[in-house]
Amino acid sequence: MPGIAGAVALTGLLTGCAGGTIGLPDEAVTAAAEESAADRDADRDTTGSPVEDGPEEPAGEPEASDLVERSIDALNGASSMRIAMDLTTPGAGHGQVDVHLDDEANCTGTFTSSEQGTADVIRRGDDTWTRFDRSGWQYLAAGTGTPLDAETIDLLLGYYLYMPADAQESGMPATCDFGPLLGLMEGLSESPMRLGGTTTHDGVPARTVELLEEDGTVLVAAGPEPYLLHVETADGEMTFSDFGIPVDAVPPPDDLVLDLTDLSSGQIPA
């Protein structure tokens, strides 16, 4: 499979879903990607909300933009979280992401694109293992100009492709980094919005904020420690949960792992 290393990040599949900004500015994603974990708030919580000691609720009803901004600040202060996305983006079609990640570059998740297939990802620090489905392998191989026949794909199914940090394309780490994913929320508080009513989301009391230009809604946890629960627009939705829960990023068994050297030399399991 000559040239496989150049396309192994499967950037369209792994970042196409997360690259859609559901109506938010694209430049915010780049800016957030440059943010380091050391710059975030030190407060952590493992009880289901992102921040242990959030600011006191101001007197009276908070403005919509202030409420959303405070909820995003709390999100940035979380040590770990689960992010589920269901988006439609140009070039990647309909995409779904379900990733559990922390601020130490650990994550597990599944990334699905209607155009490019599905990938299961495990990342532990600098090491990443990715398992592609049939469509994912086909898309990956097509990017190298060397399509795979059905028999070869049958041999590859079920195996994880291992990539150390120095072999990863820029798109791969973004799938498990806080910066690019939370960057989708940057600038949200600057959008025209107004406060709505109260509701519940997955059993959590929430305040509704209506996004006027995007024709969408934001759900913020009610109470003295507002944090972001859900964002929905015409392009899709994002849900945030499992704050502070450790990420179980266990590498796959050695006998289910291939590396770039194996593939670039044509060593495909028999």
Side-chain angles (χ1 to χ4, degrees), residues 42-130:
D43 291 333
R44 306 299 185 198
D45 182 41
T46 58
T47 60
S49 63
V51 178
E52 183 175 356
D53 295 315
E56 292 296 326
E57 187 76 17
E61 187 175 83
E63 293 292 334
S65 59
D66 178 63
L67 183 63
V68 171
E69 185 174 357
R70 292 170 61 206
S71 74
I72 294 173
D73 288 343
L75 204 67
N76 284 316
S79 61
S80 66
M81 72 183 74
R82 180 178 298 277
I83 302 177
M85 294 186 278
D86 191 317
L87 304 173
T88 299
T89 57
H94 179 227
Q96 294 177 309
V97 175
D98 187 351
V99 60
H100 188 197
L101 69 165
D102 65 23
D103 58 2
E104 297 183 354
N106 300 308
C107 85
T108 61
T110 299
F111 301 78
T112 299
S113 164
S114 60
E115 302 295 326
Q116 300 154 6
T118 295
D120 298 318
V121 176
I122 301 170
R123 180 175 177 182
R124 190 170 183 175
D126 291 334
D127 300 310
T128 302
W129 297 264
T130 308

Side-chain angles (χ1 to χ4, degrees), residues 4-11 15 163-174 260:
I4 193 72
V8 77
L10 194 54
T11 306
T15 61
M163 282 163 284
D166 58 3
Q168 296 173 22
E169 296 289 340
S170 59
M172 179 64 78
L260 293 174

Side-chain angles (χ1 to χ4, degrees), residues 15 107 117 146 187 216 219 223 232 250:
T15 61
C107 85
T146 309
L219 298 182
E232 183 171 356
V250 178

Side-chain angles (χ1 to χ4, degrees), residues 18 24 61 91 93 110-111 113 127 144 146 156 162 238 243 256 259:
L24 307 179
E61 187 175 83
T110 299
F111 301 78
S113 164
D127 300 310
T144 72
T146 309
L156 293 170
Y162 168 71
M238 298 178 68
F243 299 107
L256 292 181
D259 62 30

Side-chain angles (χ1 to χ4, degrees), residues 98-205:
D98 187 351
V99 60
H100 188 197
L101 69 165
D102 65 23
D103 58 2
E104 297 183 354
N106 300 308
C107 85
T108 61
T110 299
F111 301 78
T112 299
S113 164
S114 60
E115 302 295 326
Q116 300 154 6
T118 295
D120 298 318
V121 176
I122 301 170
R123 180 175 177 182
R124 190 170 183 175
D126 291 334
D127 300 310
T128 302
W129 297 264
T130 308
R131 180 176 60 187
F132 303 103
D133 71 350
R134 182 176 297 277
S135 295
W137 278 114
Q138 289 172 336
Y139 179 82
L140 182 64
T144 72
T146 309
L148 297 175
D149 57 37
E151 183 178 355
T152 300
I153 292 179
D154 286 342
L155 295 175
L156 293 170
L157 290 177
Y159 284 88
Y160 287 83
L161 188 60
Y162 168 71
M163 282 163 284
D166 58 3
Q168 296 173 22
E169 296 289 340
S170 59
M172 179 64 78
T175 65
C176 289
D177 281 348
F178 267 39
L181 293 177
L182 296 185
L184 301 179
M185 297 296 100
E186 296 298 326
L188 181 62
S189 60
E190 300 174 4
S191 301
M193 62 182 70
R194 66 186 174 203
L195 287 171
T198 58
T199 184
T200 58
H201 179 76
D202 289 341
V204 178

Side-chain angles (χ1 to χ4, degrees), residues 194-225:
R194 66 186 174 203
L195 287 171
T198 58
T199 184
T200 58
H201 179 76
D202 289 341
V204 178
R207 188 65 186 268
T208 299
V209 176
E210 300 174 4
L211 302 176
L212 303 180
E213 287 186 351
E214 290 84 2
D215 190 24
T217 57
V218 177
L219 298 182
V220 177
E225 300 173 6

Side-chain angles (χ1 to χ4, degrees), residues 6-29:
V8 77
L10 194 54
T11 306
L13 172 60
L14 295 178
T15 61
C17 303
T21 57
I22 53 175
L24 307 179
D26 289 338
E27 57 269 20
V29 178

